[in-house]
Structure formats: C-alpha cells, structure tokens
Amino acid sequence: MGTIISLDIGAIELTWSKNHPGIDHGSLFHALDRKQIKDGDDLTAQESPGYRATLRSIVPRLELMGHTLVRAMAEYDAAISFGIQERRERAEWDPAPIDWPEMFVFDEVLHHILAVRPLKLSTSIDDEDQNPRRVLTHAEMQRLPWYEIDSYQGQSFEADTVFSESTSAGYLLGGFDPYTALRLLAEAPENLECDVTWHFGPSVEGGHAEADEFEHGLQDAATFLIVTEGSSDAKILRHAISLHCPEIADFFRYIDMEEGYPFSGTGNLQKFVQGLIALRTPINVVAVFDNDAEGVAAYLKTQQLNLRSSYRVCRLPDLVEFEHFPTRGPTGDAAANINGRAAAIECYLDLTRIPRRALVEWGGFSRDAGEYQGSLLGKTAYMEDFLSFKGRKDRRGGYDMSKIVPVIAVLVAACVSVAEAKGLSVISRRRRR
C-alpha cells in the first residue's frame, strides 16, 4: 500500500504524497514544533516524528508567505476562468452535457468554509449511506469551479473522490493552494486552536525518506532584508519583534551590526536603495525611515524611485501620543506635535521607565522637509533600557510596548505586500498560459 505523508488540519488532509517526501512544509514550523505524533487515534498507536502547531501560530507565517485573503480571491477567480474553459470544452464532446448551475462567487465559498470545523468532521466512509454527512450538498458541490474536473492544482475533483465528511471538506478547499486554504479556515476564530500537522515519521520508518529531509525554517528567498537609517533602529526592531511576535522573527534579516553599519543616515539609506535598484538585486527589501523631518523627506524621495516589485519603503507611523509632546527650543519649553518632525524610533519606546522627563530638543531647519528637525534627549539610555528588557518584569517593572507595536505592524504590512504581490504575479502568469 505504501506510506502517506500529508499536511493536515484536524481531520482534513490538505495535500499528500506517497512513498516520497513530497512538498517541503518546513516553512510553516519552528524547531519546537517538531514532536512525537501518534500514528492514528488508537490508544496503543505508535509514535513517530513530525511537526505540529496551532493554526493561530501559523497564520502570521502564512501572511508573510503571501497567502492573504487578496490572494485567495485571485486564486478563486483563476479557478472560475479554468472551470468555464473546462465546461466549454466538455460541452463539445459530451453527448449528454451537464446543465451547469451558476458558480459560487468568492463570498459564498468563504461562507461555507467559515462553517467548517476541522476537529469535528467525521472520517467514516459513508458514501453508500442514505444520508451521508457532507459540508456541501451535491447541488452545492456542482457550483464549485473545480467540480468534476479530472485534474486541477495537481488533483482530481471527480465527485466520487468524496466518501466522507472530511473528504467533502477537502473537496471544498481543494481548489485553493493548501496554505491559502489554511488562511481561509483561520477566518473562523473557532478554528485557530486546531493543530496543523506534517507527519513524516511513518515514511521515514518505512524507508521512503530520511529524517533530515524534513527540516523547519525558510529559504532565503522567503526572507526580508530590513534596512534602517542607523544601527540603533535595526537593533530596536529586532528586539521588538523577538518580544512581540517571535513566531515570525526568522523572516527578517538585518545588516551585520558587529562589522559597522555601512549606511547610517537618511541620505545614505536612500542611496543604498538606489544602488540596489541599479544592480537589479533580486531580494526582498524593506527600507524603514524615521518619522522626523529628514526621514519623511527622504522617504518621499525614495518612494518616487523606480522600485522593484520586491522592494518597499515605509516610515515610522504617526501616533496620537506624539501630538502634544514635551519639546525645548529657542523660545523655551512647549508641547508640540513631533509627528513628521522629531519622532525617531526611540520615541516609540517606553519613556516612563527612566526617571526623567522625556524631552525633544529642536535643532536646525531641514530645507528638504520644510520643517525643523528635532531629537529625543538621552535616546541612547532609552534604547539600552529596551534592549536589556527580556520580556518579564525587571527592577524597573514591566514594559509598555503600545507605541512600538504599531511600528512592527507597519514593517510586517510592508513585507506581506511584497509576498502577496509575488503570489498574485504567479497566479497571473498561470492564467495567461
């Protein structure tokens, strides 16, 4: 019979291979996700190695791999185009052509997917029962673009491939990329604690693969080079991600800080991006500018460059907390809006842990920005305090991450847009064939 390796969520088998390793799903998992998994539900079942993690922990990785709702809609549009062509061709030779019902629109398919509970699906073979359990009626199955197609996305969608409730759920999801299917299932909060499993142990024990063929982690092409104005920005971003969302920390690469930062300053960062464009460097790059006068000016200039599709430029976000911030200038102390004028990354840290008043000092006038440039006094102390915080209360208490979390969100959104664009490009090329 052979040995199956599959990627499953609950009772749904999303993709599988027989007697060989098949698709590498290591990008979904971390080292700690590798564990011993039972070969079946029986209490006496043997255990063998595999990877297992909750859907909740995998969703941020899916997004950074480009499997977004936008991509899901594009995949479904492509399926509709394929289904229409297949039905036209079938009508030319079929002596008894099917009277096809109207295909589901994406929102209708999503509605059915949101009702699927992978942990509650029956795996019992019931295709000969009078009232078999299914997530879709037969009439509803006919409204899927891939209904009765011999081969789509590498699998058969003939109706007789459905013989249980779990296989009917697989049929509903099967027209999507397996990772996109996971992303769609995650739209139902009830599914987030479901385990996603890549169980390879039986195949290894059967001699069809080697254990070292199943490693966690990402290929370099899936990672993002994060480039900032200075080494402190990169150090802060790296530490913030490790504290707030460690499950995606491996997606980000930074310039080696120990060897000296090669392009400190807004002007040099802009020139670095220009150099990458000129060299047509085929990597994922996100350049992050400060939210001060010089940073905003350089950000706007860099945005106007002919950026590659895998490059993004962003700046630190405006925050309400910065609209009335203590400042000092030639006319004395006053509260002022430092958004776009003096909000370097240190301003986004917890400024209450050090017993002194946080204060921005105004400096020279930036002609490019048309604004005075300001700087947070004692910013190195704030940075060092943050980098020393390990995620639990220390001698200074807890840490308020509320201002740095929006910074992470801006960075992640930029990376997701790169990955999403790549996925949409692949789908578009397939449709033109």
Side-chain angles (χ1 to χ4, degrees):
M1 291 179 62
T3 306
I4 299 294
I5 298 176
S6 61
L7 180 72
D8 308 325
I9 177 168
I12 305 173
E13 189 175 79
L14 295 171
T15 182
W16 59 274
S17 62
K18 184 176 181 179
N19 294 342
H20 65 87
I23 299 171
D24 182 358
H25 301 297
S27 57
L28 296 176
F29 301 100
H30 291 282
L32 294 177
D33 297 329
R34 188 163 179 150
K35 52 197 68 174
Q36 292 296 109
I37 298 170
K38 282 192 173 183
D39 302 328
D41 297 327
D42 194 293
L43 293 176
T44 62
Q46 297 295 310
E47 293 185 338
S48 60
Y51 287 94
R52 176 170 282 169
T54 64
L55 182 58
R56 182 186 301 278
S57 69
I58 285 175
V59 168
R61 300 183 70 80
L62 293 172
E63 290 268 322
L64 283 164
M65 293 162 66
H67 293 277
T68 62
L69 293 181
V70 171
R71 172 169 174 160
M73 288 186 276
E75 287 184 16
Y76 191 72
D77 285 345
I80 287 177
S81 296
F82 188 89
I84 290 172
Q85 183 62 30
E86 284 288 307
R87 292 178 183 187
R88 285 173 180 166
E89 292 177 1
R90 181 166 181 160
E92 293 175 359
W93 60 262
D94 194 341
I98 298 173
D99 184 16
W100 298 104
E102 184 179 3
M103 293 183 191
F104 282 131
V105 298
F106 177 78
D107 286 347
E108 290 174 309
V109 169
L110 181 59
H111 172 76
H112 286 289
I113 292 173
L114 292 178
V116 172
R117 298 292 172 266
L119 290 176
K120 297 181 179 181
L121 297 172
S122 170
T123 58
S124 299
I125 297 174
D126 61 0
D127 53 324
E128 295 185 1
D129 291 0
Q130 185 173 0
N131 295 301
R133 295 174 61 177
R134 299 290 183 266
V135 300
L136 294 176
T137 66
H138 187 263
E140 289 170 334
M141 281 177 58
Q142 288 183 311
R143 296 187 62 190
L144 292 170
W146 43 86
Y147 178 74
E148 280 291 346
I149 291 179
D150 292 340
S151 180
Y152 182 67
Q153 299 284 67
Q155 60 179 305
S156 170
F157 285 96
E158 295 180 0
D160 61 7
T161 61
V162 174
F163 48 81
S164 65
E165 188 180 27
S166 61
T167 56
S168 73
Y171 194 97
L172 168 62
L173 293 160
F176 295 98
D177 181 284
Y179 295 177
T180 303
L182 286 172
R183 179 62 188 85
L184 291 172
L185 286 169
E187 283 298 286
E190 298 89 338
N191 292 337
L192 291 174
E193 300 310 317
C194 288
D195 282 333
V196 177
T197 304
W198 183 29
H199 194 188
F200 57 82
S203 187
V204 172
E205 293 176 354
H208 301 294
E210 299 293 330
D212 59 9
E213 294 181 73
F214 304 94
E215 295 294 330
H216 67 278
L218 302 164
Q219 299 292 323
D220 284 348
T223 63
F224 301 86
L225 179 63
I226 309 304
V227 192
T228 60
E229 292 185 27
S231 62
S232 61
D233 302 61
K235 289 177 182 177
I236 288 170
L237 284 174
R238 187 202 297 263
H239 192 56
I241 289 169
S242 73
L243 292 175
H244 179 66
C245 45
E247 69 276 7
I248 58 173
D250 56 326
F251 277 89
F252 310 109
R253 296 184 291 124
Y254 308 84
I255 301 298
D256 186 356
M257 303 305 154
E258 301 305 320
E259 298 299 323
Y261 206 68
F263 35 83
S264 293
T266 55
N268 286 336
L269 176 52
Q270 182 185 346
K271 290 176 183 176
F272 176 74
V273 176
Q274 286 178 306
L276 291 178
I277 295 169
L279 293 171
R280 300 183 60 80
T281 309
I283 59 176
N284 303 324
V285 179
V286 176
V288 184
F289 289 90
D290 282 340
N291 185 19
D292 55 19
E294 292 180 353
V296 171
Y299 159 75
L300 294 173
K301 286 182 179 179
T302 308
Q303 267 198 325
Q304 294 170 7
L305 299 175
N306 185 24
L307 298 171
R308 291 179 62 89
S309 61
S310 61
Y311 296 178
R312 292 293 184 276
V313 179
C314 60
R315 68 172 178 86
L316 305 183
D318 290 346
L319 296 182
V320 172
E321 292 91 332
F322 296 157
E323 292 178 0
H324 297 89
F325 199 91
T327 67
R328 175 172 295 164
T331 59
D333 292 0
N337 188 346
I338 63 169
N339 285 310
R341 303 169 71 196
I345 196 166
E346 291 83 2
C347 294
Y348 294 80
L349 302 178
D350 186 345
L351 306 181
T352 65
R353 281 169 47 97
I354 294 178
R356 65 167 173 247
R357 185 172 71 130
L359 188 68
V360 160
E361 185 173 63
W362 295 114
F365 185 79
S366 170
R367 293 187 180 278
D368 286 342
E371 293 278 3
Y372 281 94
Q373 171 83 5
S375 179
L376 180 67
L377 294 178
K379 62 182 183 180
T380 300
Y382 293 115
M383 177 191 72
E384 291 175 346
D385 173 61
F386 178 58
L387 297 180
S388 69
F389 183 71
K390 304 305 180 185
R392 54 186 177 275
K393 285 186 177 182
D394 56 20
R395 62 187 178 86
R396 287 177 170 157
Y399 204 97
D400 181 5
M401 298 274 290
S402 62
K403 296 198 296 295
I404 198 68
V405 167
V407 173
I408 298 172
V410 167
L411 175 63
V412 170
C415 295
V416 168
S417 72
V418 170
E420 181 183 82
K422 283 187 174 182
L424 295 178
S425 178
V426 170
I427 295 168
S428 178
R429 288 197 299 271
R430 287 175 182 166
R431 292 185 68 170
R432 290 198 298 268
R433 290 175 185 170

